[in-house]
Amino acid sequence: MKPLLFTLLGVAFIIALFSGATAINPFAMSNIEQEILLSLRLPRVLFSAVIGGMLALSGSVYQLTLKNPLADSFTTGTASSAALGAVLGIACGLPVPLVPVLALITGLCGLMMVYRLSISDGVINPVTMILAGVVVNIVASAVISFSKFYFEESLSSIVFWLMGGFFIVDWTRLIVCALLLAISFVLLQRISLQLNLLAFDEASARTMGIDVARLRRFSFVLATLLVAVAVSHTGIIGFVGLITPHVARSLYGSDMKQNLTASTLLGALLLMLADAGARSIIPGGAELPVGIITALLGGVFFLYLLRTRRERLWHG
Amino acid sequence: MAELRIDGLDFTRGDFHLQLPPLRVATGEKLAILGENGSGKSTLLQLLTGLLDGKEQIYYDQQLLGKIPIVERARIFALLPQQAQVIFPFSVFEVVLFGRFAQTDGRSPQENDHVQTRLLIDQLDLTHLAERSFNQLSGGEQRRVMLARALNQQAQILFLDEPNASLDVRHSLDIFEFLKQTTQTVISPVHDINLAANFFERFWLLKNGQLLADVSHDELTSELLSETFDVQVSNTAGNFSFSR
């Protein structure tokens, strides 16, 4: 089904590997260049691919379970409330492995708040959902900025949390995230048939044999876990989960079995390229937070969705 | 086969109160539920399909509804809700095929599921729309697709909330004819009383959440309808006509 996608992924991988402050000629590498390539660039490129996959997979699940084409970890406020948990956890001196757990809890709280605010009589109002997401986002970002400035007097770490970036990369983080992505992917693939039925109204889905409440709960927790772990390592990188499920849907149809796979691969592709851009745009070796690039792409895409789907968004 | 038995039904939500005496619906019966807007028809369907929880005692073949696993329920009954919708551009074929979920026990549909789906799509005059995106269809076309989806469950009882809503005359007649022929039980709120009288054999008349009458086709009189709907009803040559 997806030879094209895998080819593109390979090309993006090569591009990302060879872009950056130091130009490397793959055919005549010095020892230092080899060192840069293998111990700095390789883990970073792989990390960006894995994080991209995690965010995109969560976006695919959010859009379905929230019945909203504009949903992703950023627009639902989940990413920023998860980041808030991570920041507070770090500020309170929580052991590193527990930081994502706190992020998961606050992320779920943020998501549930947005969900509760936007649902009435079992129907989710997509516009209210986005508004509630914006509010959660603003409040969580303010608290993040405050606590970062108060505890560390550090503006650059505020930028890290709010804009996101791959500043700290090591093999352990990479392996943990890759494992989580793989497990979540397999779990979601196994229930992809049931997920499809969540696209129906609740009455239809339930009488077709789906325990809607249970399935939605499971999806929320798993998607938010992906976001919480990603955010704990890279800060808030928005819109990856917004763009990729749409592109996947227009390429391979709406079937979740296809959409989960294609979204994940496209997310990896997108974030590898975005990070390559973030590393090479500023001359002289300075790095742009990758979230700036995804926000730029995502913002434009969001506008496009608003334009094309305005009618359906307002009128359900 | 599934027999529906209501031992007691007493449901309150806000001001609204729905109460039914003990009732049975035998396998294969064609039952129309008639009543004004807000008389409790849709609420009754929601209770009978377990979408609303009350203190009701509803049994399918001696099994209490609350004790039947959700996927098993989908093999006993199917529901066509009034407001059925699908987000994302699934094709008509996909939407109808999803109806097979309970029959395949949640596994991927096999060749025979595809065959069955094609057959149903042909029967409901949807062949030319099969590859179209569900969301681009007209209201009436969407309604027929959703009906096909419900029929594809091959459940023993069909709860169809106004199956002909937004359908044109020809398709309404086709669908009622189809439902008349089927061996499945059909329980269906219907607004078009003459159409209901032509195709159904048993009628529950609901008024303000109470069962006014439970009558067979021959017992459905102008007087009963007049009482149910608060209008003048006259019967000329088997056709009811209504006036204020």
Side-chain angles (χ1 to χ4, degrees), chain B residues 186-243:
Chain B
V186 179
I187 299 176
S188 183
V190 183
H191 266 305
D192 188 327
I193 293 159
N194 282 311
L195 211 52
N198 280 332
F199 289 97
F200 288 79
E201 55 199 20
R202 183 176 174 188
F203 303 86
W204 287 357
L205 305 181
L206 280 188
K207 186 163 189 177
N208 299 328
Q210 304 288 323
L211 185 70
L212 210 60
D214 170 12
V215 293
S216 72
H217 182 271
D218 296 336
E219 298 161 331
L220 187 69
T221 58
S222 309
E223 291 72 30
L224 266 178
L225 287 171
S226 175
E227 199 185 339
T228 309
F229 291 98
D230 286 328
V231 291
Q232 307 281 336
V233 184
S234 58
N235 187 337
T236 37
N239 253 327
F240 296 106
S241 48
F242 304 87
S243 59

Side-chain angles (χ1 to χ4, degrees), chain A residues 125-196:
Chain A
N125 182 323
V127 180
T128 316
M129 208 209 83
I130 296 300
L131 289 178
V134 167
V135 172
V136 168
N137 224 328
I138 291 171
V139 174
S141 302
V143 179
I144 291 170
S145 306
F146 172 79
S147 56
K148 276 288 148 190
F149 200 72
Y150 188 80
F151 288 112
E152 298 176 25
E153 292 190 20
S154 151
L155 281 173
S156 65
S157 76
I158 296 179
V159 170
F160 166 80
W161 284 104
L162 297 187
M163 308 277 184
F166 303 101
F167 301 115
I168 319 157
V169 181
D170 57 49
W171 288 101
T172 324
R173 286 163 187 264
L174 175 58
I175 289 166
V176 169
C177 290
L179 267 179
L180 176 64
L181 175 62
I183 293 169
S184 316
F185 182 79
V186 171
L187 285 178
L188 288 166
Q189 272 295 340
R190 282 177 53 178
I191 55 164
S192 60
L193 268 179
Q194 301 181 42
L195 287 175
N196 276 331

Side-chain angles (χ1 to χ4, degrees), chain A residues 169-241:
Chain A
V169 181
D170 57 49
W171 288 101
T172 324
R173 286 163 187 264
L174 175 58
I175 289 166
V176 169
C177 290
L179 267 179
L180 176 64
L181 175 62
I183 293 169
S184 316
F185 182 79
V186 171
L187 285 178
L188 288 166
Q189 272 295 340
R190 282 177 53 178
I191 55 164
S192 60
L193 268 179
Q194 301 181 42
L195 287 175
N196 276 331
L197 300 203
L198 278 189
F200 283 80
D201 58 283
E202 186 148 349
S204 298
R206 279 199 59 179
T207 50
M208 282 157 90
I210 296 287
D211 191 337
V212 174
R214 206 173 121 197
L215 186 60
R216 190 182 284 140
R217 214 162 36 234
F218 175 79
S219 315
F220 276 169
V221 171
L222 198 56
T224 308
L225 178 65
L226 285 167
V227 173
V229 172
V231 162
S232 302
H233 292 297
T234 66
I236 302 167
I237 301 175
F239 297 108
V240 177

Side-chain angles (χ1 to χ4, degrees), chain A residues 63-64 67-69 193-194 196-204 206-212 249 254-257 309 312, chain B residues 49-51 70-71 73-74 77 79 81 83-90 94-95 98-99 101-102 106-108 146 149 153:
Chain A
Q63 286 183 9
L64 178 84
K67 294 197 166 67
N68 190 338
L193 268 179
Q194 301 181 42
N196 276 331
L197 300 203
L198 278 189
F200 283 80
D201 58 283
E202 186 148 349
S204 298
R206 279 199 59 179
T207 50
M208 282 157 90
I210 296 287
D211 191 337
V212 174
R249 218 170 284 126
S254 298
D255 184 5
M256 282 306 279
K257 202 174 179 59
R309 312 226 175 171
R312 291 235 334 265
Chain B
T49 51
L51 295 172
I70 288 185
V71 71
R73 291 182 198 182
F77 55 75
L79 168 71
Q83 309 269 343
Q85 49 139 272
V86 186
I87 51 154
F88 301 138
F90 283 105
E94 282 176 307
V95 170
F98 288 149
F101 180 83
R107 282 185 285 274
S108 296
M146 280 303 183
R149 192 280 298 154
Q153 266 173 252

Side-chain angles (χ1 to χ4, degrees), chain B:
Chain B
M1 287 316 249
E3 183 208 49
L4 165 64
R5 193 177 94 226
I6 304 169
D7 266 7
L9 194 147
D10 202 333
F11 176 79
T12 309
R13 183 168 54 186
D15 292 346
F16 179 73
H17 193 65
L18 180 68
Q19 194 174 30
L20 292 188
L23 289 162
R24 276 163 193 267
V25 182
T27 302
E29 272 196 271
K30 311 289 183 254
L31 167 69
I33 305 174
L34 307 179
E36 296 177 329
N37 299 334
S39 58
K41 304 186 294 290
S42 292
T43 309
L44 177 58
L45 282 204
Q46 288 180 316
L47 286 164
L48 293 178
T49 51
L51 295 172
L52 278 177
D53 267 333
K55 289 189 215 70
E56 66 285 343
Q57 303 268 308
I58 295 161
Y59 296 86
Y60 290 91
D61 274 343
Q62 320 305 331
Q63 275 191 93
L64 188 64
L65 173 60
K67 298 256 196 283
I68 307 174
I70 288 185
V71 71
E72 175 63 29
R73 291 182 198 182
R75 292 189 283 262
I76 299 175
F77 55 75
L79 168 71
L80 173 69
Q82 243 174 52
Q83 309 269 343
Q85 49 139 272
V86 186
I87 51 154
F88 301 138
F90 283 105
S91 76
V92 167
F93 183 80
E94 282 176 307
V95 170
V96 181
L97 185 64
F98 288 149
R100 300 299 297 163
F101 180 83
Q103 288 294 343
T104 57
D105 224 350
R107 282 185 285 274
S108 296
Q110 301 299 309
E111 185 57 38
N112 62 327
D113 299 305
H114 285 260
V115 171
Q116 156 79 17
T117 302
R118 286 263 166 236
L119 194 73
L120 206 51
I121 285 178
D122 292 345
Q123 275 178 333
L124 290 189
D125 189 24
L126 294 166
T127 319
H128 58 297
L129 301 174
E131 300 311 318
R132 291 266 299 279
S133 169
F134 175 83
N135 288 325
Q136 287 169 356
L137 304 183
S138 75
E141 289 169 335
Q142 289 193 349
R143 195 78 189 143
R144 275 152 55 212
V145 175
M146 280 303 183
L147 184 68
R149 192 280 298 154
L151 291 171
N152 213 8
Q153 266 173 252
Q154 290 189 316
Q156 300 157 35
I157 301 178
L158 297 167
F159 291 105
L160 310 174
D161 202 344
E162 292 177 41
N164 66 325
S166 64
L167 291 196
D168 54 51
V169 182
R170 176 167 67 91
H171 287 113
S172 289
L173 289 172
D174 284 354
I175 278 169
F176 279 116
E177 191 56 48
F178 182 91
L179 295 176
K180 195 176 181 178
Q181 303 294 333
T182 176
T183 56
Q184 291 153 296
T185 309
V186 179
I187 299 176
S188 183
V190 183
H191 266 305
D192 188 327
I193 293 159
N194 282 311
L195 211 52
N198 280 332
F199 289 97
F200 288 79
E201 55 199 20
R202 183 176 174 188
F203 303 86
W204 287 357
L205 305 181
L206 280 188
K207 186 163 189 177
N208 299 328
Q210 304 288 323
L211 185 70
L212 210 60
D214 170 12
V215 293
S216 72
H217 182 271
D218 296 336
E219 298 161 331
L220 187 69
T221 58
S222 309
E223 291 72 30
L224 266 178
L225 287 171
S226 175
E227 199 185 339
T228 309
F229 291 98
D230 286 328
V231 291
Q232 307 281 336
V233 184
S234 58
N235 187 337
T236 37
N239 253 327
F240 296 106
S241 48
F242 304 87
S243 59
R244 291 292 298 184

